[in-house]
Coordinates of all heavy atoms in Angstrom, one line a residue:
M1 N -16.4 22.1 -43.9 CA -17.1 22.4 -42.7 C -16.4 21.6 -41.5 O -16.0 20.5 -41.7 CB -18.5 22.0 -42.7 CG -19.2 22.3 -41.5 SD -20.9 21.6 -41.3 CE -21.8 22.3 -42.7
C2 N -16.2 22.2 -40.4 CA -15.5 21.6 -39.3 C -16.5 20.9 -38.4 O -17.6 21.4 -38.2 CB -14.7 22.6 -38.5 SG -13.3 23.3 -39.4
S3 N -16.1 19.8 -37.8 CA -17.0 19.1 -36.9 C -16.5 19.4 -35.5 O -15.4 19.3 -35.2 CB -17.0 17.6 -37.2 OG -17.7 16.9 -36.2
S4 N -17.5 19.7 -34.6 CA -17.1 19.9 -33.2 C -16.8 18.7 -32.5 O -16.3 18.7 -31.4 CB -18.2 20.7 -32.5 OG -19.4 19.9 -32.5
S5 N -17.0 17.5 -33.1 CA -16.7 16.2 -32.4 C -15.3 15.8 -32.6 O -14.9 14.8 -32.0 CB -17.7 15.1 -32.9 OG -17.5 14.9 -34.3
L6 N -14.5 16.5 -33.5 CA -13.1 16.1 -33.7 C -12.3 16.5 -32.5 O -12.5 17.6 -31.9 CB -12.6 16.8 -34.9 CG -13.2 16.3 -36.2 CD1 -12.6 17.2 -37.4 CD2 -12.9 14.9 -36.5
P7 N -11.3 15.7 -32.1 CA -10.5 16.0 -31.0 C -9.6 17.2 -31.3 O -9.2 17.4 -32.4 CB -9.6 14.8 -30.7 CG -9.7 14.1 -32.0 CD -11.0 14.4 -32.7
L8 N -9.4 18.0 -30.3 CA -8.5 19.2 -30.5 C -7.0 18.9 -30.2 O -6.2 19.7 -30.6 CB -9.0 20.3 -29.5 CG -10.4 20.8 -29.8 CD1 -10.8 21.9 -28.8 CD2 -10.5 21.4 -31.2
R9 N -6.8 17.8 -29.6 CA -5.3 17.5 -29.3 C -4.8 16.7 -30.5 O -5.6 16.1 -31.3 CB -5.2 16.7 -28.0 CG -5.9 15.4 -28.0 CD -5.8 14.8 -26.6 NE -6.7 13.7 -26.5 CZ -6.3 12.4 -26.4 NH1 -5.0 12.2 -26.3 NH2 -7.1 11.4 -26.4
P10 N -3.5 16.6 -30.7 CA -2.9 15.8 -31.8 C -3.3 14.4 -31.7 O -3.4 13.8 -30.6 CB -1.4 16.1 -31.7 CG -1.3 17.2 -30.7 CD -2.5 17.3 -29.9
F11 N -3.4 13.7 -32.8 CA -3.8 12.3 -32.9 C -2.6 11.5 -32.5 O -1.5 11.7 -32.9 CB -4.2 11.9 -34.3 CG -4.6 10.5 -34.4 CD1 -5.7 10.0 -33.8 CD2 -3.7 9.6 -35.1 CE1 -6.0 8.6 -34.0 CE2 -4.0 8.3 -35.2 CZ -5.2 7.8 -34.7
F12 N -2.7 10.5 -31.6 CA -1.7 9.7 -31.1 C -2.0 8.2 -31.6 O -3.1 7.7 -31.3 CB -1.5 9.7 -29.6 CG -0.5 8.7 -29.1 CD1 0.9 9.0 -29.2 CD2 -0.8 7.5 -28.5 CE1 1.8 8.1 -28.8 CE2 0.1 6.6 -28.1 CZ 1.5 6.9 -28.2
D13 N -1.1 7.6 -32.3 CA -1.3 6.3 -32.8 C -0.3 5.3 -32.2 O 0.8 5.3 -32.5 CB -1.1 6.3 -34.3 CG -1.4 5.0 -35.0 OD1 -1.8 4.0 -34.3 OD2 -1.2 4.8 -36.2
P14 N -0.8 4.5 -31.2 CA 0.0 3.6 -30.5 C 0.8 2.6 -31.5 O 1.9 2.2 -31.2 CB -0.9 2.8 -29.6 CG -2.1 3.6 -29.5 CD -2.2 4.4 -30.7
S15 N 0.1 2.3 -32.6 CA 0.8 1.3 -33.5 C 2.0 2.0 -34.2 O 3.0 1.3 -34.5 CB -0.2 0.9 -34.6 OG -0.6 2.0 -35.4
A16 N 2.0 3.3 -34.3 CA 3.2 4.0 -34.9 C 4.4 3.9 -33.9 O 5.5 3.7 -34.3 CB 2.9 5.4 -35.1
V17 N 4.1 4.0 -32.6 CA 5.1 3.8 -31.6 C 5.7 2.4 -31.6 O 6.9 2.2 -31.5 CB 4.6 4.2 -30.2 CG1 5.6 3.9 -29.1 CG2 4.2 5.6 -30.1
T18 N 4.8 1.4 -31.8 CA 5.2 0.0 -31.8 C 6.1 -0.2 -33.0 O 7.1 -0.9 -32.9 CB 4.0 -0.9 -31.9 OG1 3.1 -0.6 -30.8 CG2 4.4 -2.3 -32.0
V19 N 5.8 0.4 -34.2 CA 6.6 0.2 -35.4 C 8.0 0.9 -35.1 O 9.0 0.3 -35.5 CB 5.9 0.8 -36.6 CG1 6.9 0.9 -37.8 CG2 4.7 0.0 -37.0
Q20 N 8.0 2.1 -34.5 CA 9.2 2.7 -34.3 C 10.1 1.9 -33.3 O 11.3 1.8 -33.6 CB 9.0 4.1 -33.7 CG 8.4 5.1 -34.6 CD 7.9 6.4 -33.9 OE1 7.9 6.5 -32.7 NE2 7.5 7.4 -34.8
L21 N 9.5 1.4 -32.3 CA 10.3 0.6 -31.3 C 10.9 -0.7 -32.0 O 12.0 -1.0 -31.8 CB 9.4 0.2 -30.1 CG 9.0 1.3 -29.2 CD1 8.1 0.8 -28.1 CD2 10.2 2.0 -28.6
F22 N 10.0 -1.3 -32.8 CA 10.5 -2.5 -33.5 C 11.7 -2.1 -34.5 O 12.7 -2.8 -34.5 CB 9.4 -3.1 -34.4 CG 9.8 -4.3 -35.2 CD1 9.9 -5.5 -34.6 CD2 10.0 -4.1 -36.5 CE1 10.3 -6.6 -35.3 CE2 10.4 -5.2 -37.3 CZ 10.6 -6.5 -36.7
T23 N 11.5 -1.0 -35.2 CA 12.6 -0.6 -36.1 C 13.9 -0.3 -35.4 O 15.0 -0.7 -35.8 CB 12.1 0.6 -36.9 OG1 10.9 0.3 -37.6 CG2 13.2 1.1 -37.9
I24 N 13.8 0.4 -34.3 CA 15.0 0.8 -33.5 C 15.6 -0.5 -32.9 O 16.8 -0.6 -33.0 CB 14.6 1.8 -32.4 CG1 14.3 3.1 -33.0 CG2 15.8 1.9 -31.4 CD1 15.4 3.8 -33.8
N25 N 14.8 -1.4 -32.4 CA 15.4 -2.6 -31.9 C 16.1 -3.5 -32.9 O 17.1 -4.1 -32.7 CB 14.3 -3.5 -31.2 CG 13.9 -2.9 -29.8 OD1 14.8 -2.2 -29.2 ND2 12.7 -3.0 -29.4
Q26 N 15.5 -3.5 -34.1 CA 16.1 -4.2 -35.2 C 17.4 -3.6 -35.6 O 18.4 -4.2 -35.9 CB 15.1 -4.3 -36.4 CG 14.0 -5.3 -36.3 CD 14.5 -6.7 -36.1 OE1 14.5 -7.2 -35.0 NE2 14.8 -7.3 -37.2
A27 N 17.4 -2.2 -35.7 CA 18.6 -1.5 -36.0 C 19.7 -1.8 -35.0 O 20.9 -2.0 -35.4 CB 18.3 0.0 -36.1
K28 N 19.4 -1.8 -33.7 CA 20.4 -2.1 -32.7 C 20.9 -3.5 -32.9 O 22.1 -3.7 -32.7 CB 19.7 -1.9 -31.3 CG 19.5 -0.5 -30.9 CD 18.9 -0.4 -29.5 CE 18.7 1.0 -29.1 NZ 18.2 1.1 -27.7
H29 N 20.1 -4.4 -33.2 CA 20.5 -5.8 -33.4 C 21.5 -5.8 -34.6 O 22.5 -6.5 -34.5 CB 19.3 -6.7 -33.6 CG 19.7 -8.1 -33.9 ND1 20.2 -9.0 -33.0 CD2 19.7 -8.8 -35.1 CE1 20.5 -10.1 -33.5 NE2 20.1 -10.0 -34.8
L30 N 21.2 -5.2 -35.6 CA 22.0 -5.2 -36.8 C 23.4 -4.5 -36.5 O 24.4 -4.9 -37.0 CB 21.3 -4.5 -38.0 CG 20.2 -5.3 -38.6 CD1 19.4 -4.5 -39.6 CD2 20.6 -6.7 -39.2
L31 N 23.3 -3.4 -35.8 CA 24.5 -2.6 -35.5 C 25.5 -3.4 -34.6 O 26.7 -3.1 -34.7 CB 24.2 -1.3 -34.8 CG 23.5 -0.3 -35.7 CD1 23.0 0.9 -34.9 CD2 24.5 0.2 -36.8
I32 N 25.1 -4.3 -33.8 CA 26.0 -5.0 -33.0 C 26.6 -6.3 -33.7 O 27.5 -7.0 -33.2 CB 25.4 -5.4 -31.6 CG1 24.2 -6.4 -31.8 CG2 25.1 -4.2 -30.8 CD1 23.7 -7.0 -30.5
Q33 N 26.1 -6.5 -34.9 CA 26.6 -7.7 -35.7 C 28.0 -7.3 -36.3 O 28.2 -6.3 -36.9 CB 25.7 -8.0 -36.9 CG 24.3 -8.4 -36.5 CD 24.3 -9.6 -35.6 OE1 24.9 -10.6 -35.8 NE2 23.5 -9.4 -34.5
P34 N 29.0 -8.2 -36.0 CA 30.4 -7.9 -36.5 C 30.4 -7.9 -38.0 O 29.8 -8.7 -38.7 CB 31.2 -9.0 -36.0 CG 30.3 -9.9 -35.1 CD 28.9 -9.4 -35.3
G35 N 31.0 -6.9 -38.6 CA 31.2 -6.8 -40.0 C 29.9 -6.3 -40.8 O 29.9 -6.3 -42.0
M36 N 28.9 -5.9 -40.1 CA 27.7 -5.3 -40.7 C 27.9 -3.8 -40.9 O 27.8 -3.1 -39.9 CB 26.5 -5.6 -39.9 CG 25.2 -4.9 -40.4 SD 24.6 -5.5 -41.9 CE 23.9 -7.1 -41.3
P37 N 28.1 -3.3 -42.1 CA 28.2 -1.9 -42.3 C 26.9 -1.2 -42.0 O 25.8 -1.8 -42.2 CB 28.6 -1.8 -43.8 CG 29.0 -3.1 -44.2 CD 28.3 -4.1 -43.3
V38 N 27.0 0.0 -41.6 CA 25.8 0.8 -41.2 C 24.9 0.9 -42.5 O 23.7 0.7 -42.4 CB 26.1 2.2 -40.7 CG1 24.9 3.0 -40.5 CG2 26.9 2.1 -39.4
K39 N 25.5 1.1 -43.6 CA 24.7 1.2 -44.9 C 23.9 -0.1 -45.2 O 22.7 0.0 -45.5 CB 25.6 1.5 -46.1 CG 24.8 1.7 -47.3 CD 25.6 2.2 -48.5 CE 24.9 2.3 -49.8 NZ 23.5 2.4 -49.8
K40 N 24.5 -1.2 -45.0 CA 23.8 -2.5 -45.2 C 22.7 -2.7 -44.2 O 21.6 -3.1 -44.6 CB 24.8 -3.6 -45.1 CG 24.2 -4.9 -45.6 CD 25.3 -6.0 -45.7 CE 24.7 -7.3 -46.3 NZ 25.7 -8.3 -46.6
G41 N 22.9 -2.3 -43.0 CA 21.8 -2.4 -42.0 C 20.7 -1.5 -42.3 O 19.5 -1.8 -42.2
A42 N 21.0 -0.3 -42.8 CA 20.0 0.7 -43.2 C 19.2 0.1 -44.4 O 18.0 0.2 -44.4 CB 20.6 2.0 -43.6
D43 N 19.9 -0.5 -45.4 CA 19.2 -1.1 -46.5 C 18.2 -2.2 -46.1 O 17.1 -2.3 -46.5 CB 20.2 -1.7 -47.5 CG 21.0 -0.6 -48.3 OD1 20.5 0.5 -48.3 OD2 22.1 -1.0 -48.8
R44 N 18.7 -3.0 -45.1 CA 17.8 -4.1 -44.7 C 16.6 -3.6 -44.0 O 15.6 -4.3 -44.0 CB 18.6 -5.0 -43.7 CG 19.6 -5.9 -44.4 CD 20.1 -7.0 -43.4 NE 21.0 -7.9 -44.1 CZ 21.6 -8.9 -43.5 NH1 21.4 -9.1 -42.2 NH2 22.4 -9.6 -44.2
L45 N 16.7 -2.5 -43.4 CA 15.5 -1.9 -42.7 C 14.6 -1.1 -43.6 O 13.6 -0.6 -43.2 CB 16.0 -1.1 -41.5 CG 16.6 -1.8 -40.3 CD1 17.2 -0.9 -39.3 CD2 15.6 -2.7 -39.7
G46 N 15.0 -1.0 -44.8 CA 14.2 -0.3 -45.8 C 14.5 1.2 -46.0 O 13.7 1.9 -46.7
F47 N 15.6 1.7 -45.5 CA 16.0 3.1 -45.6 C 16.7 3.2 -47.0 O 17.7 2.4 -47.2 CB 16.8 3.6 -44.5 CG 16.1 3.7 -43.2 CD1 16.0 2.7 -42.3 CD2 15.5 4.9 -42.9 CE1 15.3 2.8 -41.1 CE2 14.8 5.1 -41.7 CZ 14.7 4.1 -40.8
I48 N 16.3 4.1 -47.8 CA 16.9 4.3 -49.1 C 18.3 4.9 -48.9 O 19.3 4.6 -49.6 CB 16.0 5.0 -50.1 CG1 14.7 4.2 -50.3 CG2 16.7 5.4 -51.4 CD1 13.7 5.0 -51.0
E49 N 18.3 5.9 -48.1 CA 19.6 6.7 -47.9 C 20.1 6.4 -46.5 O 19.4 6.4 -45.5 CB 19.3 8.2 -48.0 CG 18.8 8.7 -49.3 CD 19.9 8.6 -50.4 OE1 21.1 8.8 -50.0 OE2 19.6 8.4 -51.6
Q50 N 21.4 6.3 -46.4 CA 22.1 6.0 -45.1 C 21.9 7.2 -44.2 O 21.7 7.1 -43.0 CB 23.6 5.8 -45.3 CG 24.3 5.4 -44.1 CD 25.8 5.0 -44.3 OE1 26.2 4.9 -45.5 NE2 26.6 4.9 -43.3
F51 N 21.9 8.4 -44.8 CA 21.7 9.7 -44.0 C 20.4 9.6 -43.3 O 20.3 10.0 -42.1 CB 21.8 10.9 -44.9 CG 21.4 12.2 -44.2 CD1 22.3 12.8 -43.4 CD2 20.2 12.7 -44.4 CE1 21.9 14.0 -42.7 CE2 19.8 13.9 -43.7 CZ 20.7 14.5 -42.9
T52 N 19.3 9.2 -44.0 CA 18.0 9.1 -43.4 C 18.0 8.2 -42.2 O 17.4 8.5 -41.2 CB 16.9 8.7 -44.5 OG1 17.1 9.5 -45.6 CG2 15.5 8.8 -43.9
F53 N 18.6 7.0 -42.4 CA 18.7 6.1 -41.3 C 19.4 6.7 -40.1 O 19.0 6.5 -39.0 CB 19.4 4.8 -41.8 CG 19.7 3.9 -40.6 CD1 18.7 3.2 -39.9 CD2 21.1 3.7 -40.2 CE1 19.0 2.4 -38.9 CE2 21.4 2.9 -39.2 CZ 20.4 2.2 -38.5
R54 N 20.6 7.3 -40.4 CA 21.3 7.9 -39.2 C 20.5 8.9 -38.5 O 20.5 9.0 -37.3 CB 22.6 8.5 -39.8 CG 23.6 7.6 -40.2 CD 24.9 8.3 -40.7 NE 25.9 7.4 -41.2 CZ 26.8 6.8 -40.5 NH1 26.8 7.0 -39.2 NH2 27.6 6.0 -41.1
K55 N 19.8 9.8 -39.2 CA 18.9 10.8 -38.6 C 17.8 10.1 -37.8 O 17.5 10.5 -36.7 CB 18.4 11.7 -39.7 CG 17.6 12.9 -39.2 CD 17.2 13.8 -40.3 CE 16.4 15.0 -39.8 NZ 16.0 15.9 -40.8
Y56 N 17.1 9.1 -38.4 CA 16.0 8.4 -37.7 C 16.6 7.8 -36.4 O 15.9 7.9 -35.4 CB 15.5 7.3 -38.6 CG 14.3 6.6 -38.1 CD1 13.0 7.0 -38.2 CD2 14.5 5.4 -37.4 CE1 12.0 6.3 -37.7 CE2 13.5 4.6 -36.9 CZ 12.2 5.1 -37.0 OH 11.1 4.4 -36.5
F57 N 17.7 7.1 -36.5 CA 18.3 6.4 -35.3 C 18.6 7.4 -34.3 O 18.3 7.2 -33.1 CB 19.5 5.6 -35.8 CG 20.0 4.7 -34.7 CD1 19.5 3.4 -34.6 CD2 21.0 5.1 -33.8 CE1 19.9 2.5 -33.6 CE2 21.4 4.2 -32.8 CZ 20.9 3.0 -32.7
K58 N 19.3 8.5 -34.6 CA 19.7 9.5 -33.6 C 18.5 10.2 -33.0 O 18.4 10.5 -31.8 CB 20.6 10.5 -34.2 CG 21.2 11.4 -33.2 CD 22.4 12.2 -33.6 CE 23.0 12.9 -32.5 NZ 24.2 13.6 -32.8
T59 N 17.4 10.4 -33.8 CA 16.2 11.1 -33.3 C 15.6 10.2 -32.2 O 15.1 10.7 -31.2 CB 15.2 11.3 -34.4 OG1 15.8 12.2 -35.4 CG2 13.9 11.9 -33.9
H60 N 15.5 8.9 -32.5 CA 14.8 8.0 -31.6 C 15.7 7.4 -30.4 O 15.1 6.9 -29.5 CB 14.2 6.9 -32.4 CG 13.1 7.3 -33.2 ND1 11.9 7.7 -32.7 CD2 13.0 7.6 -34.6 CE1 11.1 8.1 -33.7 NE2 11.8 8.0 -34.9
T61 N 17.0 7.6 -30.5 CA 17.8 7.0 -29.5 C 18.7 8.1 -28.8 O 19.2 7.9 -27.7 CB 18.8 5.9 -30.0 OG1 19.7 6.5 -30.9 CG2 18.0 4.8 -30.6
G62 N 18.9 9.2 -29.5 CA 19.7 10.3 -28.9 C 21.2 10.0 -29.2 O 22.1 10.7 -28.6
I63 N 21.5 9.0 -30.0 CA 22.9 8.7 -30.3 C 23.0 8.2 -31.7 O 22.1 7.7 -32.3 CB 23.4 7.6 -29.3 CG1 24.9 7.4 -29.3 CG2 22.6 6.3 -29.5 CD1 25.4 6.5 -28.2
S64 N 24.2 8.5 -32.3 CA 24.4 8.1 -33.7 C 24.6 6.5 -33.8 O 25.0 5.9 -32.8 CB 25.6 8.8 -34.3 OG 26.8 8.2 -33.8
P65 N 24.3 5.9 -34.9 CA 24.5 4.5 -35.1 C 26.0 4.1 -34.8 O 26.3 3.1 -34.2 CB 24.1 4.2 -36.5 CG 23.2 5.3 -36.9 CD 23.6 6.5 -36.1
T66 N 26.9 5.0 -35.3 CA 28.3 4.7 -35.1 C 28.7 4.7 -33.6 O 29.4 3.8 -33.1 CB 29.2 5.7 -35.8 OG1 28.8 5.7 -37.2 CG2 30.7 5.4 -35.7
D67 N 28.2 5.7 -32.9 CA 28.4 5.8 -31.4 C 27.8 4.6 -30.7 O 28.3 4.1 -29.7 CB 28.0 7.1 -30.8 CG 28.9 8.2 -31.2 OD1 30.0 8.0 -31.6 OD2 28.5 9.4 -31.0
Y68 N 26.6 4.2 -31.1 CA 25.9 3.1 -30.5 C 26.8 1.8 -30.7 O 27.0 1.0 -29.8 CB 24.5 2.8 -31.1 CG 23.9 1.6 -30.5 CD1 23.2 1.7 -29.3 CD2 23.9 0.4 -31.1 CE1 22.6 0.6 -28.7 CE2 23.3 -0.7 -30.6 CZ 22.7 -0.6 -29.4 OH 22.1 -1.7 -28.8
R69 N 27.3 1.7 -31.9 CA 28.2 0.5 -32.2 C 29.4 0.5 -31.3 O 29.9 -0.6 -30.9 CB 28.5 0.5 -33.7 CG 29.5 -0.6 -34.0 CD 29.7 -0.6 -35.5 NE 28.7 -1.5 -36.0 CZ 28.4 -1.6 -37.3 NH1 29.1 -0.9 -38.2 NH2 27.4 -2.4 -37.7
K70 N 29.9 1.7 -31.0 CA 31.1 1.8 -30.2 C 30.9 1.6 -28.7 O 31.8 1.6 -27.9 CB 31.8 3.2 -30.4 CG 32.4 3.3 -31.8 CD 33.0 4.7 -31.9 CE 33.5 5.0 -33.3 NZ 34.0 6.4 -33.5
G71 N 29.6 1.5 -28.4 CA 29.2 1.2 -27.0 C 28.9 2.5 -26.2 O 28.7 2.4 -25.0
K72 N 28.8 3.6 -26.9 CA 28.5 4.9 -26.2 C 27.0 4.9 -26.1 O 26.3 5.0 -27.1 CB 29.0 6.1 -26.9 CG 30.5 6.1 -27.1 CD 31.0 7.2 -27.9 CE 32.5 7.2 -28.1 NZ 32.9 8.2 -29.0
T73 N 26.4 4.9 -24.9 CA 25.0 5.0 -24.8 C 24.5 6.1 -23.9 O 25.3 6.7 -23.2 CB 24.4 3.6 -24.2 OG1 25.1 3.5 -22.9 CG2 24.8 2.5 -25.1
N74 N 23.2 6.4 -23.9 CA 22.7 7.3 -22.9 C 21.2 6.9 -22.6 O 20.8 5.8 -23.1 CB 22.7 8.8 -23.5 CG 21.9 8.9 -24.7 OD1 20.9 8.2 -25.0 ND2 22.2 9.9 -25.5
F75 N 20.5 7.6 -21.9 CA 19.2 7.2 -21.4 C 18.1 7.9 -22.2 O 16.9 7.8 -21.8 CB 19.1 7.5 -19.9 CG 20.0 6.6 -19.1 CD1 21.1 7.1 -18.6 CD2 19.7 5.3 -18.9 CE1 22.0 6.4 -17.8 CE2 20.5 4.5 -18.1 CZ 21.7 5.0 -17.6
H76 N 18.4 8.6 -23.3 CA 17.4 9.3 -24.1 C 16.3 8.3 -24.5 O 15.1 8.6 -24.4 CB 18.0 10.0 -25.2 CG 17.0 10.7 -26.1 ND1 16.4 11.8 -25.7 CD2 16.6 10.4 -27.4 CE1 15.6 12.2 -26.7 NE2 15.7 11.4 -27.7
F77 N 16.7 7.1 -25.1 CA 15.7 6.2 -25.6 C 14.8 5.7 -24.5 O 13.6 5.6 -24.7 CB 16.4 5.0 -26.2 CG 15.5 4.0 -26.9 CD1 14.8 4.4 -28.0 CD2 15.4 2.7 -26.4 CE1 13.9 3.5 -28.6 CE2 14.6 1.9 -27.1 CZ 13.8 2.2 -28.2
L78 N 15.3 5.4 -23.3 CA 14.5 5.0 -22.2 C 13.5 6.0 -21.8 O 12.4 5.7 -21.4 CB 15.4 4.6 -21.0 CG 16.2 3.3 -21.2 CD1 17.1 3.1 -20.0 CD2 15.4 2.1 -21.5
T79 N 13.9 7.3 -21.9 CA 13.0 8.4 -21.5 C 11.8 8.4 -22.5 O 10.7 8.6 -22.1 CB 13.8 9.7 -21.6 OG1 14.9 9.7 -20.7 CG2 12.9 10.9 -21.2
I80 N 12.1 8.2 -23.8 CA 11.1 8.2 -24.8 C 10.1 7.1 -24.5 O 8.9 7.3 -24.6 CB 11.6 8.1 -26.2 CG1 12.4 9.3 -26.6 CG2 10.5 7.8 -27.3 CD1 13.2 9.2 -27.9
I81 N 10.6 5.9 -24.2 CA 9.7 4.8 -23.9 C 8.8 5.1 -22.7 O 7.6 4.8 -22.8 CB 10.5 3.5 -23.7 CG1 11.2 3.0 -25.0 CG2 9.6 2.4 -23.1 CD1 12.1 1.9 -24.8
T82 N 9.4 5.6 -21.7 CA 8.6 5.9 -20.5 C 7.5 6.9 -20.8 O 6.4 6.8 -20.3 CB 9.6 6.5 -19.4 OG1 10.6 5.6 -19.1 CG2 8.8 6.8 -18.1
E83 N 7.8 8.0 -21.6 CA 6.8 9.0 -21.9 C 5.7 8.4 -22.8 O 4.6 8.7 -22.6 CB 7.5 10.1 -22.7 CG 8.4 11.0 -21.8 CD 9.1 12.0 -22.5 OE1 9.0 12.1 -23.8 OE2 9.9 12.8 -21.9
C84 N 6.1 7.5 -23.7 CA 5.1 6.9 -24.6 C 4.2 5.9 -23.8 O 3.0 5.7 -24.2 CB 5.8 6.2 -25.7 SG 6.5 7.3 -26.9
M85 N 4.7 5.2 -22.8 CA 3.9 4.2 -22.1 C 2.8 4.8 -21.4 O 1.8 4.2 -21.1 CB 4.8 3.4 -21.2 CG 5.8 2.5 -21.9 SD 5.1 1.4 -23.1 CE 4.1 0.4 -22.0
Q86 N 2.8 6.1 -21.1 CA 1.7 6.8 -20.4 C 0.5 6.7 -21.2 O -0.7 6.7 -20.7 CB 2.1 8.2 -20.0 CG 2.1 9.1 -21.2 CD 2.5 10.5 -20.8 OE1 2.5 10.9 -19.6 NE2 2.9 11.4 -21.7
Y87 N 0.6 6.6 -22.5 CA -0.6 6.6 -23.4 C -1.2 5.2 -23.4 O -2.4 5.1 -23.9 CB -0.2 7.0 -24.8 CG 0.2 8.4 -25.0 CD1 1.5 8.8 -25.0 CD2 -0.8 9.4 -25.0 CE1 1.9 10.1 -25.1 CE2 -0.4 10.7 -25.1 CZ 0.9 11.1 -25.1 OH 1.3 12.4 -25.3
F88 N -0.5 4.2 -23.0 CA -1.1 2.8 -22.9 C -1.8 2.5 -21.6 O -2.4 1.4 -21.5 CB 0.0 1.8 -23.2 CG 0.6 1.9 -24.6 CD1 1.8 2.5 -24.8 CD2 -0.1 1.5 -25.7 CE1 2.4 2.6 -26.1 CE2 0.4 1.6 -27.0 CZ 1.6 2.1 -27.2
R89 N -1.7 3.4 -20.7 CA -2.4 3.1 -19.4 C -3.8 3.4 -19.4 O -4.4 4.1 -20.1 CB -1.7 3.9 -18.3 CG -0.3 3.5 -18.1 CD 0.3 4.3 -17.0 NE 1.8 3.9 -17.0 CZ 2.6 4.6 -16.4 NH1 2.3 5.6 -15.6 NH2 3.9 4.2 -16.4

């Protein structure tokens, strides 16, 4: 039976955004460490497969871990943060 008191819009969990931001920031920190292979950084963050880490990083930043390490950046990540912050107001 459906309840009419349930919200019709998708559920937004601010704590999930916080975990994502923390994970991405940790990944960025590990990627700028000299001699830290991407695979080892992925392992430290709890990713079983390097491919999964690469996909996660690129989804949330708009750039691959390798390109981030090379210093190639864009503003996709800042756009995501700005959009998410509207939910905290």
Side-chain angles (χ1 to χ4, degrees):
M1 182 187 303
C2 294
S3 171
S4 61
S5 64
L6 292 176
L8 296 177
R9 63 188 170 109
F11 178 73
F12 176 77
D13 183 5
S15 62
V17 173
T18 303
V19 170
Q20 289 172 353
L21 293 175
F22 177 79
T23 303
I24 292 299
N25 285 332
Q26 287 296 102
K28 287 180 175 183
H29 176 74
L30 292 172
L31 288 170
I32 62 171
Q33 301 301 315
M36 172 69 72
V38 174
K39 180 169 179 22
K40 190 170 185 176
D43 288 341
R44 284 192 178 180
L45 292 170
F47 289 89
I48 296 170
E49 298 289 332
Q50 184 176 350
F51 171 78
T52 307
F53 169 70
R54 288 179 183 276
K55 186 174 179 181
Y56 181 87
F57 190 87
K58 187 162 186 175
T59 298
H60 292 286
T61 64
I63 190 168
S64 72
T66 305
D67 285 343
Y68 179 81
R69 175 173 273 170
K70 291 177 183 176
K72 299 175 183 176
T73 60
N74 64 25
F75 294 101
H76 178 71
F77 185 66
L78 293 175
T79 303
I80 291 172
I81 291 174
T82 304
E83 289 173 0
C84 290
M85 291 307 292
Q86 71 183 346
Y87 292 101
F88 293 106
R89 294 181 188 169

